[in-house]
Amino acid sequence: MKKLKIAMRSDLNMRMGKMAAQSGHAAMKVLASHMRPSKDGLRLSNAKMNTLNAFLAAPDVSFSFVEDEAAVQTFLGQADDGQKVIDNGATEFNGIKTVTCAANGIFTEKWEDAPYDCAEDGSERKARQYFIFSRTRPLKKETVCALAAIGCLSQMAKMLEPDTQSDYKQYLISSRTNIAFDSWIKSGYAKIALCVVSDEALLDLQAQFDAMGSTTSLVERDGVKMLAVGPEFLDNISHLTGGLKLI
């Protein structure tokens, strides 16, 4: 069984929504480290796509809190495929770049060469990925963070399509046709965690996003439902998200 492990710092006093975004970043970095950039976008081999789908068919996420940055480094040292998240300090930490969490797992296949790092290039943040939680059940940090990781990976899997132009069996997220993804991946792959009051409100919101043609994933853990959306440009969906509260 494929497993994703996430270690989150407890000493930074991050709000729940911030931790959800950081968990999404961590999952994204684990996947992206196995992808390869090209002039057309980001590619993933057929074998690794199969691994990703196997994980998503029965997602197994182990989430734990660790006490400080040194403990994150210890976590990273326990596996050779670990990826750490460094927050740029734009919204918290007084503008100081800060290690927030790390993740490893899912893929047993080794990298063919150096892992790809989807690092921020300084571009303006124009597109975001959205994690929208239902408050029908109480939200717990561990559940919220696991759902964010699963939701992010589910969205990536849906955007990856067979590359019919390649001589090799690969999947591609096209930067030419998916402009929002191209903006998102080049500008720090921003994420934001929001909430609605009930499962019914969440399903209604999903229907509205789907009617717009947005990519969405509805995921559930411990009875809590979350809708992952995008990445999308804010101007395109602000009429749906503008009134939602942060978690």
Side-chain angles (χ1 to χ4, degrees):
M1 181 179 292
K2 309 299 182 184
K3 185 175 219 175
L4 176 67
K5 298 179 181 179
I6 300 173
M8 181 75 60
R9 286 180 63 178
S10 61
D11 61 320
L12 296 175
N13 298 315
M14 291 180 281
R15 56 183 173 79
M16 189 183 296
K18 180 71 172 181
M19 287 191 290
Q22 297 303 297
S23 294
H25 290 336
M28 174 71 192
K29 292 198 73 168
V30 167
L31 173 59
S33 71
H34 289 270
M35 302 180 80
R36 291 295 170 264
S38 71
K39 59 183 177 61
D40 299 316
L42 281 179
R43 300 178 185 275
L44 187 69
S45 72
N46 186 61
K48 291 181 179 180
M49 185 68 186
N50 290 339
T51 298
L52 176 61
N53 285 332
F55 168 78
L56 291 172
D60 185 2
V61 180
S62 170
F63 179 87
S64 61
F65 284 107
V66 295
E67 60 185 7
D68 53 22
E69 183 176 350
V72 171
Q73 293 301 137
T74 299
F75 171 85
L76 286 169
Q78 295 170 355
D80 58 7
D81 63 342
Q83 298 291 314
K84 68 180 175 181
V85 175
I86 303 176
D87 188 83
N88 66 8
T91 60
E92 296 189 28
F93 313 130
N94 298 314
I96 299 171
K97 290 185 176 182
T98 302
V99 174
T100 57
C101 63
N104 64 49
I106 300 181
F107 298 96
T108 55
E109 306 91 345
K110 298 299 183 182
W111 298 302
E112 290 85 359
D113 45 39
Y116 172 62
D117 182 11
C118 48
E120 183 176 356
D121 69 357
S123 302
E124 180 183 355
R125 281 182 167 82
K126 296 182 178 179
R128 289 179 174 179
Q129 188 172 71
Y130 294 80
F131 302 141
I132 307 173
F133 294 86
S134 166
R135 284 197 174 273
T136 291
R137 290 175 178 262
L139 300 181
K140 297 180 180 180
K141 294 175 182 179
E142 294 85 348
T143 302
V144 162
C145 290
L147 284 171
I150 296 167
C152 178
L153 295 175
S154 297
Q155 289 294 94
M156 292 292 290
K158 288 185 176 182
M159 289 185 286
L160 281 158
E161 298 181 344
D163 183 8
T164 58
Q165 303 301 313
S166 173
D167 294 333
Y168 304 95
K169 291 183 178 180
Q170 298 183 49
Y171 285 76
L172 172 72
I173 303 180
S174 174
S175 58
R176 298 183 179 185
T177 59
N178 195 331
I179 307 302
F181 173 81
D182 186 57
S183 170
W184 180 69
I185 200 69
K186 289 179 178 177
S187 61
Y189 41 95
K191 301 173 180 68
I192 185 167
L194 306 168
C195 65
V196 294
V197 295
S198 66
D199 290 352
E200 291 76 14
L202 190 68
L203 294 174
D204 179 66
L205 195 59
Q206 182 181 26
Q208 295 181 68
F209 278 117
D210 289 345
M212 291 175 51
S214 297
T215 301
T216 66
S217 297
L218 185 67
V219 295
E220 183 174 349
R221 184 181 175 100
D222 300 332
V224 176
K225 290 182 173 63
M226 186 203 80
L227 181 67
V229 180
E232 287 283 1
F233 290 110
L234 177 61
D235 292 347
N236 293 343
I237 64 169
S238 59
H239 63 291
L240 296 178
T241 61
L244 303 184
K245 293 182 179 180
L246 296 167
I247 65 164

